[in-house]
Amino acid sequence: MAEVIRMPRMSDTMTEGVIVEWHKKVGDKVKSGDLLAEVETDKATMELESYNDGTLLYVGVEKGKPVQVDGILAVIGKEGEDYKPALDAAGTAPANKPEETKAATENAPAPATPPAPAKEQAPPPATAKVSLPEGAKEIRMPLLSDTMTEGKIVSWNKKVGDAVKSDDVLADVETDKATMEVIGYEEGTLLYIGVEAGNAAKVNEIIAIVGKEGTDVSAYVAAEKGGGNAAPAAESQPAPTENAAPAAIESDTAEVAVATNGRIKASPLAKKLAADKGIDISKVNGSGDNGRITKKDIDS
């Protein structure tokens, strides 16, 4: 069955991404872990990997064009498969023509008189919100595949008190499709780990906090766990569209790469650069976390 690939939210402030380069074209074979495209966000240029095996059947966004978070980028399926049903199922079927909408509205029955509103109950007393200390940054479980609802922490590569660089691998996370590496944007000290190795975290759940050494985040963590920092139910929120990205896609993940046993630890961009330059990547010394090879190792 054909799978629709959507634009993921690659940072907590991202609303759209620009396709810098496609690394696959329609008709190409695609394997899980292959680099599909490079995407420029509001924070950096990042790599978009495939979580599916098959053939690239459809590309919906040209190079240089922006696409909103959760917008359709491509469709992957079996060679020769009709991808249009997948697009229709994803909500890209054309809307009704204006005259059809007008006719439907005019012929619609008058709405029934709404029942009298129930007596309002007094809201429970509000709990004071606790702000994250200045300079600290929370790391949430990112959405690593279009069907992911939670991720299992396979292992932590850092412990509380460790110094963290922006390209360090914080943890290995097992999703419903693969085991991935989560790399944080932030630099500082790992102040808090919210999910122990072997346990799962829901998408957007706080898994760690990074900040200045010695910063106390216990009050913030307690408020988060107790629901004190949750937005009130009655608070005005924009109505979601049918295909809007779930609010839980917020992530502080700079880069996500497939990690399997016996495989060289290197970012997809580093692998591509090495291949382009004819460099044997197995002979490159990685400067990243646990010897992981990054772009700067290939460029140096």
Side-chain angles (χ1 to χ4, degrees):
M1 181 179 176
E3 294 283 344
V4 170
I5 310 299
R6 297 179 181 271
M7 174 65 76
R9 190 189 301 272
M10 296 173 165
S11 79
D12 53 349
T13 56
M14 175 181 172
T15 58
E16 67 176 20
V18 175
I19 301 297
V20 177
E21 189 72 51
W22 280 103
H23 292 281
K24 296 289 183 180
K25 62 181 183 297
V26 172
D28 283 356
K29 298 293 184 183
V30 178
K31 295 182 297 182
S32 177
D34 279 356
L35 179 60
L36 285 180
E38 291 176 42
V39 177
E40 182 181 345
T41 74
D42 58 332
K43 288 189 174 179
T45 298
M46 303 186 199
E47 302 161 354
L48 176 67
E49 292 187 8
S50 172
Y51 303 113
N52 307 89
D53 294 331
T55 298
L56 187 58
L57 304 174
Y58 169 80
V59 169
V61 183
E62 296 178 5
K63 173 183 173 180
K65 300 291 186 181
V67 61
Q68 296 292 316
V69 167
D70 204 39
I72 294 175
L73 295 175
V75 178
I76 294 175
K78 294 181 179 179
E79 186 174 1
E81 182 179 359
D82 183 6
Y83 62 82
K84 292 181 180 178
L87 290 178
D88 291 342
T92 59
N96 290 336
K97 295 179 181 179
E99 56 268 24
E100 293 176 348
T101 304
K102 180 179 179 182
T105 303
E106 290 176 349
N107 295 328
T113 303
K119 184 179 180 181
E120 294 184 0
Q121 297 182 348
T127 303
K129 289 186 178 182
V130 178
S131 299
L132 194 63
E134 184 178 356
K137 185 70 175 180
E138 57 194 19
I139 310 295
R140 295 180 180 269
M141 175 62 73
L143 184 73
L144 301 175
S145 79
D146 51 356
T147 57
M148 175 182 171
T149 58
E150 66 178 20
K152 178 182 176 182
I153 303 292
V154 177
S155 63
W156 281 100
N157 298 313
K158 297 286 183 180
K159 63 182 183 295
V160 171
D162 282 355
V164 177
K165 295 184 294 184
S166 60
D167 61 350
D168 282 349
V169 178
L170 293 180
D172 293 326
V173 174
E174 180 182 331
T175 74
D176 56 335
K177 293 189 174 180
T179 298
M180 322 292 285
E181 297 171 347
V182 174
I183 303 170
Y185 275 128
E186 308 306 318
E187 297 199 356
T189 298
L190 186 57
L191 304 171
Y192 167 77
I193 287 178
V195 182
E196 295 180 1
N199 293 338
K202 298 292 185 182
V203 168
N204 203 41
E205 182 178 339
I206 296 176
I207 59 174
I209 297 177
V210 173
K212 185 178 179 180
E213 184 177 4
T215 302
D216 184 6
V217 296
S218 58
Y220 180 80
V221 170
E224 283 288 316
K225 289 183 176 180
N229 282 354
E235 187 174 334
S236 177
Q237 300 286 348
T241 59
E242 182 179 355
N243 295 308
I249 308 183
E250 294 185 357
S251 155
D252 285 315
T253 304
E255 187 178 359
V256 178
V258 175
T260 57
N261 292 334
R263 181 174 176 178
I264 297 171
K265 281 202 169 187
S267 74
L269 183 54
K271 293 176 184 176
K272 180 180 183 299
L273 289 173
D276 290 345
K277 296 182 177 183
I279 297 174
D280 184 352
I281 199 167
S282 65
K283 296 180 180 179
V284 176
N285 292 322
S287 61
D289 191 45
N290 294 326
R292 188 172 184 273
I293 302 168
T294 63
K295 177 179 180 292
K296 64 181 179 181
D297 298 318
I298 304 299
D299 289 336
S300 60

